[in-house]
Amino acid sequence: MKFDTTPSYVATDDLKVAVNAAVALERPLLVKGEPGTGKTELARQVAASLGLPLIEWHVKSTTRAQQGLYEYDAVSRLRDSQLGDARVHELANYIRRGKLWQAFAAQGRVVLLIDEIDKADIEFPNDLLQELDRMEFHVYETGETVRARQRPVVIITSNNEKELPEAFLRRCFFHYIRFPDPDVLAAIVRLHYPGIKEALLAAALTRFFEIRETPGLKKKPSTSEALDWLKLLLAEDLSPEDLRREGKHALPRLYGALLKNEQDVQLFERLAFMARGQR
């Protein structure tokens, strides 16, 4: 069972090594990287490459670790008891399985994505230590212990919004997805837009990396934003010359796909003004 590049995802050699090492060690794979570098998509592609079902748990600021195990609906049980419903005699009727329980109870091995774990409270990762380590947990309301039939492949993503606890990090295999270099990004673009002309691709990527490397930029455009921008360039049927005529510091064509705040737009407007004054 080895992860490799799929028809819709370009995986670098170090990423493939990291995924396969985590699978071999039976450790969660903790993936960090800039937003938009394909961390969430990685879990989907690992599932596709390994031929396994995918269970996705998208973490929010209000998410509690307990929700990944199960939730007991005491309110519904109280209401049913007042209505004389026979279901109240069976506690299991009021237990809602969380994503971890679903992964543990699956008939075969699955890929479990815990997406953006750093959005939750700082105690969230610690609250999952034992469950991810032992692959079991206890349901106090019913007295049963839920054990994983087969250890899932666990992929955890983080955008580095919060530092994760050391005890949690010790239990993970870590990989940082670096921003792709021009050659890798070109391969990603060709995968999504196979008919793109090489001259346009070269001009667009040159312009894109000029923008990313502009000093003072508050938010650098990501891989997903590069793909959006290329899609618009193709839709508008722009030529390589159209991109080259802009000049290094001018606002790029269709800049709304790349620049996502007013400070960065104003930065390029100032740079363009200064460039005109030097002519």
Side-chain angles (χ1 to χ4, degrees):
M1 185 178 285
K2 292 283 187 181
F3 168 66
D4 206 342
T5 294
T6 71
S8 57
Y9 191 84
V10 175
T12 56
D13 289 341
D14 59 340
L15 179 56
K16 288 185 278 190
V17 167
V19 172
N20 291 319
V23 172
L25 289 171
E26 296 188 329
R27 294 279 191 180
L29 174 64
L30 174 61
V31 184
K32 293 187 178 183
E34 291 181 32
T37 49
K39 299 185 296 297
T40 302
E41 184 62 23
L42 171 65
R44 296 168 184 152
Q45 296 302 324
V46 168
S49 176
L50 301 182
L52 300 177
L54 174 66
I55 295 175
E56 301 187 30
W57 183 13
H58 299 284
V59 177
K60 301 178 181 179
S61 60
T62 55
T63 303
R64 296 175 292 107
Q66 180 64 32
Q67 292 172 307
L69 308 180
Y70 68 92
E71 290 183 278
Y72 170 54
D73 191 354
V75 174
S76 292
R77 187 170 184 238
L78 175 60
R79 183 194 63 225
D80 288 349
S81 68
Q82 292 170 339
L83 296 173
D85 194 319
R87 296 174 74 249
V88 298
H89 301 299
E90 185 59 57
L91 275 174
N93 291 327
Y94 303 95
I95 301 290
R96 288 201 294 265
R97 295 184 177 189
K99 299 296 185 180
L100 261 73
W101 190 334
Q102 294 173 30
F104 288 3
Q107 294 294 326
R109 202 172 194 188
V110 301
V111 174
L112 172 64
L113 167 65
I114 304 176
D115 196 31
E116 298 190 330
I117 195 171
D118 52 325
K119 278 188 175 179
D121 183 86
I122 190 61
E123 290 304 317
F124 181 93
N126 279 335
D127 291 342
L128 290 177
L129 284 181
Q130 286 204 160
E131 288 76 11
L132 291 176
D133 214 17
R134 297 182 181 178
M135 286 288 146
E136 66 177 43
F137 62 90
H138 189 69
V139 183
Y140 296 98
E141 289 78 5
T142 63
E144 67 178 307
T145 297
V146 176
R147 294 184 178 87
R149 294 184 179 183
Q150 293 195 50
R151 181 178 284 267
V153 176
V154 181
I155 297 178
I156 302 169
T157 71
S158 169
N159 286 325
N160 256 349
E161 291 182 12
K162 295 189 186 82
E163 285 294 324
L164 299 174
E166 287 188 12
F168 181 80
L169 294 175
R170 282 200 305 271
R171 288 165 168 82
C172 297
F173 190 93
F174 173 76
H175 182 73
Y176 184 86
I177 297 182
R178 295 180 179 86
F179 193 84
D181 62 30
D183 289 340
V184 173
L185 187 54
I188 293 171
V189 172
R190 292 188 193 101
L191 196 64
H192 287 79
Y193 310 117
I196 191 169
K197 294 179 180 177
E198 289 299 312
L200 176 62
L201 176 59
L205 291 189
T206 297
R207 188 74 182 98
F208 175 79
F209 279 99
E210 286 175 352
I211 294 165
R212 260 190 69 88
E213 293 160 9
T214 300
L217 202 63
K218 185 174 181 180
K219 183 197 174 301
K220 295 182 177 183
S222 67
T223 307
S224 62
E225 288 159 342
L227 292 173
D228 287 345
W229 187 55
L230 263 296
K231 183 177 182 178
L232 292 173
L233 296 183
L234 291 169
E236 293 293 322
D237 197 24
L238 296 180
S239 69
E241 290 70 30
D242 292 326
L243 300 180
R244 296 190 188 106
R245 277 198 295 268
E246 293 174 352
K248 184 175 180 180
H249 296 308
L251 268 173
R253 295 287 187 97
L254 304 163
Y255 65 84
L258 299 174
L259 306 178
K260 297 303 176 74
N261 59 68
E262 62 276 16
Q263 293 97 321
D264 288 343
V265 173
Q266 290 167 3
L267 170 64
F268 274 88
E269 288 174 342
R270 288 196 301 272
L271 291 171
F273 178 78
M274 291 167 61
R276 287 195 296 271
Q278 292 171 1
R279 289 173 187 169

